[in-house]
């Protein structure tokens, strides 16, 4: 049974002394909105963590495989597959046999959680169309401006012999880390019941998705990330599959106020914030605070 | 136009990718009629109707920002899936996202803080049955837009940039334009109108011009629109 309700959610997570999402354009500095100096975390960064979490917990469960993996194995048997099937890759148009295409798409949806949730493009040489997933995430943005710090670190070893010779035995290299001392980030998400119908995104999938949001940072520890934690997940559940209230009106109900220190200056901990949810006059929408 | 609608849409970011620059995406200055149609279809659409964009009001100054992300270079191949179905195993079916062959760092030059008013109407298509009439579809659209209902959350060009919307009732005034006087009139150059799905997905372009903050979109099959 696919989900029968439209959902929107506000998800808050924070970082202490870490880099939540590096910017490849800026030497891996934490992403910044140049206009407001607020920190950014891209939608794809968060989707990666959701995929990783599902892969970690449900790797062996049938139907919860992950298509876009993060692992360094070379495994591209495209050509072999083409040869084996004797398929000509000439046409780039939609396949002539629509049943074939539908069969392929639904098989992928059935087996892969990330395709059911986020969709996938299967428009290669042999075109199978594309599926749009029900789950849509926007960019996460910090509540207040952040001040990224550049920390220099040293390593008491060098990589090559040549380097060692040049340093005449000093054997030291310098490195750099970028951290955000503290930042609370807010992201908005949307789940369409109508698209869920098309990919087969079920209630169980939804529960797993909420669980991933709750726990994904707990399983994404690394030297770069510092301390990241999920702080709050407010879910708006519409009674109607199409929705009962505009998304923006619901998001405005979740207010994050600065209670310690000046607004629009960098904060130093989660206790600097107060989260309040306006639950009055909700028509056809229920609020679930998942944590 | 008796059955026209006006929809106010806005968002923090937008990316209406120029077809000539889509490896490292660069957005058009304003929303394309094609993207505007997509937004309306996300609220209400049936094969019986076809949305036609009449005017686009640009409410905010045009500003750009660059974002670079790690993306993957390839798509799922159908042949691989067929093999997997035949073997009843998903073992070899995945994409390694951080493999150096797959990973591509791409920048997107996107719009910031956009807001538009879309003026549009719809026409009935050949697929319209006896039970379809203009009033019915117009009512469904208005009801949904008024309540914030949608088939899926509409987006500003790409799905990571959600579009928020509210219906402008016929008697309601348009939102105030935030454009400075010198920004009200501009030649925006050739811009994608829409894709001609009836003729082999042929893109068709028109000369977009901002006059007093409004782009008037020519009819899709008129002489002003070139393939």
């Amino acid at each position: 049974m696919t989900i029968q309700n439209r959902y929107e959610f506000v998800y808050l997570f924070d970082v202490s002394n870490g880099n939540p999402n590096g910017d490849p354009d800026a030497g891996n500095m934490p992403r910044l909105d140049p206009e407001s100096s607020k920190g950014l975390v891209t939608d794809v960064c968060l989707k990666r963590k959701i995929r990783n979490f599902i892969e970690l917990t449900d790797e062996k469960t049938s139907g919860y495989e992950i298509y876009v993996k993060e692992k360094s194995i070379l495994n591209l048997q495209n050509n072999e597959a083409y040869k084996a099937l004797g398929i000509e890759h000439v046409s780039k148009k939609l396949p002539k046999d629509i049943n074939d295409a539908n069969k392929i798409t639904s098989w992928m949806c059935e087996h892969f959680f990330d395709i059911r949730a986020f969709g996938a493009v299967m428009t290669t040489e042999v075109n199978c169309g594309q599926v749009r997933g029900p789950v849509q995430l926007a960019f996460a943005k910090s509540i207040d401006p952040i001040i990224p710090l550049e920390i220099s670190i040293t390593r008491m070893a060098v990589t090559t012999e040549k380097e060692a010779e040049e340093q005449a035995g000093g054997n030291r290299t310098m490195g750099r880390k970028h951290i955000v001392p503290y930042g609370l980030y807010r992201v908005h998400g949307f789940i369409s019941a109508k698209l869920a119908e098309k990919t087969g995104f079920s209630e169980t999938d939804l529960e797993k998705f909420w669980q991933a949001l709750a726990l994904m940072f707990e399983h994404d520890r690394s030297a770069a990330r510092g301390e990241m934690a999920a702080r709050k997940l407010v879910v708006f559940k519409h009674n109607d599959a199409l929705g009962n209230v505009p998304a923006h009106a619901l998001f405005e109900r979740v207010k994050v106020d600065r209670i310690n220190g000046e607004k629009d200056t960098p904060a130093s901990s989660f206790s600097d914030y107060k989260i309040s949810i306006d639950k009055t006059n909700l028509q056809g929408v229920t609020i679930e605070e998942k944590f | 136009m008796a059955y026209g609608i006006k929809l106010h849409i806005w968002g923090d970011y937008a990316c209406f990718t120029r077809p000539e620059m889509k490896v490292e995406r660069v957005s058009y200055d304003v929303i394309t009629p094609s993207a505007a149609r997509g937004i309306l279809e996300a609220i209400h659409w049936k094969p019986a109707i076809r949305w036609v964009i009449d005017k686009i009001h640009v409410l905010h100054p045009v500003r750009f920002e660059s974002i670079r992300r790690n993306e993957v270079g390839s798509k799922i191949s159908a042949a691989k899936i067929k093999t997997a179905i035949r073997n009843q195993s998903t073992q070899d079916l995945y994409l390694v996202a951080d493999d150096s062959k797959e990973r591509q760092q791409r920048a997107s030059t996107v719009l910031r803080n956009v807001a538009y008013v879309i003026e549009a109407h719809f026409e009935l298509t050949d697929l319209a049955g006896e039970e379809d009439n203009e009033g019915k579809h117009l009512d469904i659209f208005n009801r949904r837009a008024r309540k914030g209902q949608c088939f899926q959350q509409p987006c500003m060009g790409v799905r990571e940039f959600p579009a928020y919307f509210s219906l402008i009732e016929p008697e309601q005034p348009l939102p105030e334009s935030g454009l400075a006087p010198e920004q009200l009139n501009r030649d925006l150059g050739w811009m994608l109108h829409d894709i001609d799905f009836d003729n082999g997905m042929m893109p068709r372009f028109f000369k977009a011009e901002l006059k007093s903050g409004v782009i008037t979109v020519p009819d899709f099959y008129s002489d002003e629109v070139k393939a």
Side-chain angles (χ1 to χ4, degrees), chain A residues 4 13 24 36 55 108 161-163 167 186 192 283:
Chain A
Q4 299 297 309
F13 61 92
S36 60
E55 198 185 345
M108 288 303 274
E161 285 178 30
K162 193 167 165 255
E163 270 179 272
Q167 290 197 17
R186 171 178 180 148
S192 155
Q283 281 165 337

Side-chain angles (χ1 to χ4, degrees), chain A residues 26 66 118 125 128 135 159 225 236:
Chain A
I66 292 296
F118 305 133
E125 287 91 351
C128 298
V135 180
T159 316
R225 297 274 173 262
F236 298 98

